[in-house]
Amino acid sequence: MQGIDSVSAIAEVAAAPTGNKLDASLGLWTLTLLGVGATVGTGIFFVMAEAVPKAGPAVIVAFILAAITAGLTALCYAELASSVPASGSSYSYARVAFGDFVAFVVAACLLLEYALAASATAIGWSGYLNNFLDNAFGWSIPEALRSPMLVAGKAGLEVHFDHFNLPPVILVVLCAILLLRGTRESALVNAGMVLLKLLVLVFFAVIAWGGFRSENFTPFFNSSGMTGVTAAAGTVFFSFIGLDTVATAAAETRNPKRTVPLGILLGLLIVTIVYMLVAVTALGAQPAAKFDGQEAGLAEILKTVTGQAWPAVVLSAGAVISVFSVTLVTIYGQTRILYALSIDRLLPPLFQRLGRRAAVPGANTVIVSVVVAIVAGLVDSGYLWDMVSLGTLMAFIVVSASVPVMRRRTPQGSAAAATFRVPFGPYLIPVLSVLACLYIIKDLSAVTFKVFAVWMVVAVGAFLAYRRLANRGATG
């Protein structure tokens, strides 16, 4: 198994070949907002319609459970990021701690996590775009052009060959164009969109508070009890994918050993406060039963509370602009994982090739964007949320397990020692993090586990096949 000599392994992982080095242009502010941009939006703008029916008003507990789990993992990320400043995030940490095979399995989880998260958020963006056009201009996108071919119906999978969800495809194309212009430009645009997003959500909370009714929280738990809460926590957990995105930007960050841990912790704090503020006011303004299947739910709540269309127009317009940042940053994170895999010779060199004008992996970005666009255009988001959560949770488990391994191999004072260390020793927080992740995973659907198992078999098969071809080419 590789990764036993952690000092040399860290140096290898953190390095990039000459001519393929990413531009270190991100500071603490832009890095923190990168994580917030990838996080705030998905869990609130879209997934309430999926999570509230599972848990009722107790979805607030689901968000708290997800936040605690993410917080425990954030501390583990912070320690590893301060020791391994590489663009591969969980993949790079697993490679240093456990070797290539485990790292590739983690990479497969990350590919599932980022690609499907980008597709899911692009699909949700389509709903808010239609809501904005309807309230502002009285015109809606035709049903056949804003609904997918593969739909999760009550009787199971439904196929509508005459349907294609066009708006999310347009969004992904716009994100790809911006990413190809360069990381610094993308980060600055993202920072502006994140600030707008936070203002829009505060605007929602203030208006929704006017319709707050305490009886909407009774009964607090629905008939599913805590089982529904953990199922909802599994659904919303992908909203904390921003933690991983911050870590993927390490190679493009100034002073990453200090900046990345701070960015992770600050991002989590901002995200948790915003989520709780919006979730409480949304549930107070609308009975839990009305969330089921609701499109552009937050906008509809404002329209109901005020009896006017303009607040819904403002919120939908803000969502259309700001959710762009979620898709943008998620696609960015996916390309950096593939870049790291290519640097480590686990993928073809095409994925690490940088453009002449902008130091970004151009072909990599185009390939990822095409895949994300196809999924977003054809697949119902109901199939995606839990898959993203499972991929995220599995990656978080490996990150947590890496902490005691790395602590043992890189003692304090060594060249590769972490500048930030998880409090209370190398075992308590990582073990609690793993247990919290497993607690949430246990109530995900059986379909989610089956699809995940198929994906992992395909990924492992691809890993073994590519390594065999690469070794044959090296010896031939």
Side-chain angles (χ1 to χ4, degrees):
M1 180 179 290
Q2 297 180 22
I4 299 300
D5 182 1
S6 291
V7 175
S8 59
I10 289 171
E12 178 188 349
V13 166
T18 303
N20 285 322
K21 197 168 182 63
L22 298 168
D23 182 26
S25 59
L26 303 179
L28 177 60
W29 174 244
T30 49
L31 188 69
T32 300
L33 290 182
L34 196 70
V36 175
T39 309
V40 171
T42 49
I44 292 297
F45 280 117
F46 313 136
V47 86
M48 293 286 280
E50 296 284 339
V52 174
K54 295 179 179 179
V59 74
I60 293 173
V61 179
F63 273 108
I64 293 173
L65 177 60
I68 292 172
T69 304
L72 293 170
T73 313
L75 293 172
C76 299
Y77 264 104
E79 173 164 336
L80 295 173
S82 72
S83 177
V84 187
S87 61
S89 181
S90 311
Y91 156 74
S92 294
Y93 309 151
R95 182 168 183 256
V96 172
F98 301 114
D100 282 351
F101 180 74
V102 173
F104 194 87
V105 170
V106 172
C109 294
L110 295 177
L111 295 180
L112 191 70
E113 172 187 337
Y114 281 99
L116 297 189
S119 298
T121 52
I123 293 168
W125 178 84
S126 176
Y128 274 96
L129 175 64
N130 189 63
N131 184 277
F132 169 73
L133 294 173
D134 184 31
N135 284 304
F137 305 108
W139 180 82
S140 296
I141 302 170
E143 180 73 18
L145 291 177
R146 63 179 178 90
S147 57
M149 184 176 71
L150 304 176
V151 179
K154 292 184 178 179
L157 176 65
E158 298 176 3
V159 181
H160 303 278
F161 291 105
D162 58 339
H163 285 201
F164 183 77
N165 202 351
L166 182 60
V169 175
I170 296 173
L171 173 63
V172 172
V173 170
L174 294 174
C175 289
I177 292 171
L178 183 56
L179 288 169
L180 289 170
R181 291 183 60 85
T183 300
R184 180 176 176 81
E185 290 81 358
S186 301
L188 290 174
V189 171
N190 173 72
M193 288 189 288
V194 170
L195 292 175
L196 173 63
K197 184 191 307 184
L198 295 178
L199 289 173
V200 166
L201 291 175
V202 170
F203 167 80
F204 167 82
V206 171
I207 301 288
W209 185 256
F212 190 92
R213 301 177 63 185
S214 59
E215 54 264 37
N216 287 341
F217 291 89
T218 305
F220 189 66
F221 291 93
N222 64 12
S223 58
S224 299
M226 277 303 296
T227 300
V229 171
T230 51
T235 299
V236 304
F237 193 81
F238 84 97
S239 305
F240 293 91
I241 195 175
L243 296 175
D244 216 21
T245 305
V246 171
T248 65
E252 294 164 275
T253 301
R254 297 188 296 271
N255 191 13
K257 287 193 172 188
R258 172 187 175 276
T259 306
V260 173
L262 285 175
I264 290 171
L265 297 174
L266 284 174
L268 176 65
L269 178 63
I270 294 170
V271 164
T272 302
I273 292 172
V274 172
Y275 277 5
M276 295 307 300
L277 176 67
V278 176
V280 170
T281 52
L283 286 162
Q286 176 175 273
K290 290 188 175 182
F291 283 91
D292 192 6
Q294 192 174 47
E295 183 179 270
L298 299 189
E300 290 302 311
I301 289 173
L302 293 189
K303 191 174 181 180
T304 301
V305 168
T306 63
Q308 302 178 61
W310 73 265
V313 171
V314 171
L315 189 131
S316 293
V320 166
I321 296 170
S322 60
V323 172
F324 183 104
S325 70
V326 181
T327 310
L328 175 78
V329 175
T330 310
I331 293 174
Y332 165 86
Q334 175 79 96
T335 62
R336 275 21 180 204
I337 298 296
L338 295 173
Y339 171 86
L341 282 164
S342 181
I343 289 292
D344 293 336
R345 300 176 184 176
L346 299 178
L347 282 179
L350 175 69
F351 290 93
Q352 63 177 280
R353 196 171 298 151
L354 304 184
R356 294 180 181 178
R357 189 184 64 83
V360 296
N364 182 344
T365 301
V366 171
I367 292 170
V368 168
S369 299
V370 169
V371 173
V372 169
I374 291 172
V375 174
L378 297 179
V379 181
D380 186 355
S381 63
Y383 285 111
L384 304 180
W385 304 118
D386 286 359
M387 289 303 303
V388 176
S389 289
L390 182 54
T392 305
L393 287 160
M394 293 302 295
F396 281 12
I397 286 173
V398 175
V399 166
S400 301
S402 298
V403 170
V405 176
M406 290 296 295
R407 187 80 69 90
R408 186 174 66 252
R409 294 181 183 166
T410 56
Q412 193 72 30
S414 69
T419 55
F420 172 88
R421 292 206 157 197
V422 170
F424 310 116
Y427 296 105
L428 179 61
I429 298 297
V431 168
L432 289 175
S433 176
V434 170
L435 292 176
C437 290
L438 291 173
Y439 181 71
I440 293 176
I441 285 174
K442 72 180 178 65
D443 285 316
L444 292 174
S445 68
V447 173
T448 300
F449 286 111
K450 290 177 182 177
V451 174
F452 183 77
V454 171
W455 167 249
M456 294 310 299
V457 169
V458 171
V460 171
F463 169 79
L464 295 175
Y466 182 75
R467 288 304 293 267
R468 186 173 182 178
L469 287 173
N471 291 337
R472 184 179 299 172
T475 57

